[in-house]
Amino acid sequence: MLERLLLSGLFFITTVAAGTDLTRLPVGDGHISTQPQSGSVWPCRTEGFGAHRVHTGPWLRDDGTFDFLNKPAAGGVVNWPHELSITVDGDSRKVSGNALPSHPTAVFPKSKSDPTYQYSPNPNPIRAQSIVVELPTLPVMAIHASCVPLGPIGVLLTGGLFFNALDANGQDAVAHEILDSCQGHPAQNGTYHYHNMTSCLQEEGSAHSELIGYAFDGFGIYGKRGVEGEELTNASLDECHGHEHPIVWDGQTTTLYHYHATWEYPYTVGCFKGVSQFHPRRNR
Ligand SMILES: [Zn+2]
Ligand SMILES: [Zn+2]
């Protein structure tokens, strides 16, 4: 499994990560805000933060960085009956699926023989969820940005959901949590999710990244490259982790706001620019 993690990491080194040392990513702990703020997550609630044991291990350093490439991944290989459908009907984009990813996951709950069990036993199995979301086809900016919930804030084209960058303890989940080699893991109710862009979605080409999913305010989320193919950082994005320029949207070139993934915390969406309207039916 570590080998698979390294392989997925090497893919990025050779394709996009010209400026980012994946062995020394800054840990985002403490970068939590109560308003739109670059480099932060604005969570809608913070109850329970700081209450749990901190997951730690040799990949986390005292200097505030972590080694993404040598962080152990949960072991095992499980394939899933993935379902995802995205259809446009007038001004509505209907996303439905079972929240199971198109790529294999690790075995959850983890067995005691998994070398990562010592860091995080994760007792939750992965369970299918009934996801039915209607998003605006052409999302508009809200008057004010808004906080992001803990729990699903969008869906990637793998069919897996993404949460914000924080774990239940309010810490940088990508740095602390034991994830599988696609950077996913199940939540307490079994929802398989990521906290960053999974390395199991490959970035094609060398220009502006392709669409990788939809945030639940309807805006798209794209990979890690900007218009010149450059690797994006927080400094090149706004306080919610996006920007506006012409993109291909439903087959047409349209000037539209969109989010980007980065290697830098908060990895995906730090706050919503549009109106969030996610009311999932879950626990099928
Ligand atoms: Zn998580
Ligand atoms: Zn862009």
Side-chain angles (χ1 to χ4, degrees):
M1 200 44 63
L2 183 59
E3 186 186 322
R4 293 190 57 215
L5 178 70
L6 287 170
L7 282 174
S8 57
L10 284 171
F11 174 81
F12 281 101
I13 287 176
T14 53
T15 54
V16 295
T20 299
D21 180 356
L22 300 186
T23 69
R24 305 194 75 83
L25 289 179
V27 178
D29 291 354
H31 292 273
I32 294 172
S33 64
T34 53
Q35 59 186 13
Q37 189 173 311
S38 177
S40 286
V41 175
W42 175 13
C44 294
R45 61 175 185 82
T46 58
E47 293 104 74
F49 284 9
H52 305 286
R53 187 176 76 84
V54 176
H55 296 146
T56 191
W59 64 93
L60 285 151
R61 298 195 191 82
D62 292 339
D63 68 358
T65 66
F66 72 103
D67 185 342
F68 179 84
L69 295 185
N70 289 298
K71 183 183 169 207
V77 177
V78 183
N79 290 291
W80 296 96
H82 152 81
E83 291 168 21
L84 178 67
S85 155
I86 301 175
T87 53
V88 172
D89 182 10
D91 55 9
S92 169
R93 184 187 317 280
K94 189 171 178 188
V95 180
S96 58
N98 60 7
L100 297 174
S102 53
H103 56 72
T105 71
V107 172
F108 292 101
K110 279 193 271 178
S111 77
K112 284 188 176 153
S113 62
D114 186 318
T116 65
Y117 186 90
Q118 59 178 313
Y119 303 121
S120 165
N122 198 331
N124 311 309
I126 294 172
R127 288 202 178 95
Q129 313 289 324
S130 176
I131 301 297
V132 180
V133 191
E134 282 198 41
L135 302 172
T137 308
L138 206 56
V140 291
M141 298 256 199
I143 295 169
H144 300 290
S146 57
C147 61
V148 281
L150 302 176
I153 61 169
V155 61
L156 293 191
L157 300 183
T158 59
L161 298 168
F162 65 95
F163 288 15
N164 70 39
L166 305 173
D167 62 18
N169 202 34
Q171 292 184 292
D172 180 340
V174 178
H176 287 279
E177 293 282 344
I178 295 296
L179 308 167
D180 66 19
S181 59
C182 293
Q183 295 93 54
H185 69 160
Q188 221 168 16
N189 71 348
T191 303
Y192 184 80
H193 64 280
Y194 319 94
H195 296 271
N196 63 350
M197 174 182 159
T198 170
S199 54
C200 295
L201 254 186
Q202 300 198 340
E203 290 226 51
E204 307 287 346
S206 57
H208 190 271
S209 292
E210 302 284 323
L211 181 79
I212 59 167
Y214 294 93
F216 286 151
D217 60 2
F219 287 118
I221 177 162
Y222 290 72
K224 301 185 179 82
R225 297 191 313 265
V227 282
E228 305 292 333
E230 78 282 12
E231 190 188 327
L232 293 165
T233 64
N234 290 343
S236 40
L237 299 169
D238 73 3
E239 67 282 3
C240 286
H241 221 243
H243 63 184
E244 185 174 306
H245 62 76
I247 49 171
V248 178
W249 188 249
D250 294 327
Q252 307 234 10
T253 299
T254 309
T255 297
L256 190 66
Y257 184 83
H258 55 283
Y259 302 101
H260 274 278
T262 57
W263 278 116
E264 193 174 14
Y265 173 98
Y267 311 111
T268 67
V269 176
C271 49
F272 281 132
K273 282 296 250 203
V275 180
S276 171
Q277 29 197 312
F278 183 44
H279 304 288
R281 294 200 294 274
R282 297 216 234 129
N283 298 325
R284 180 165 67 181

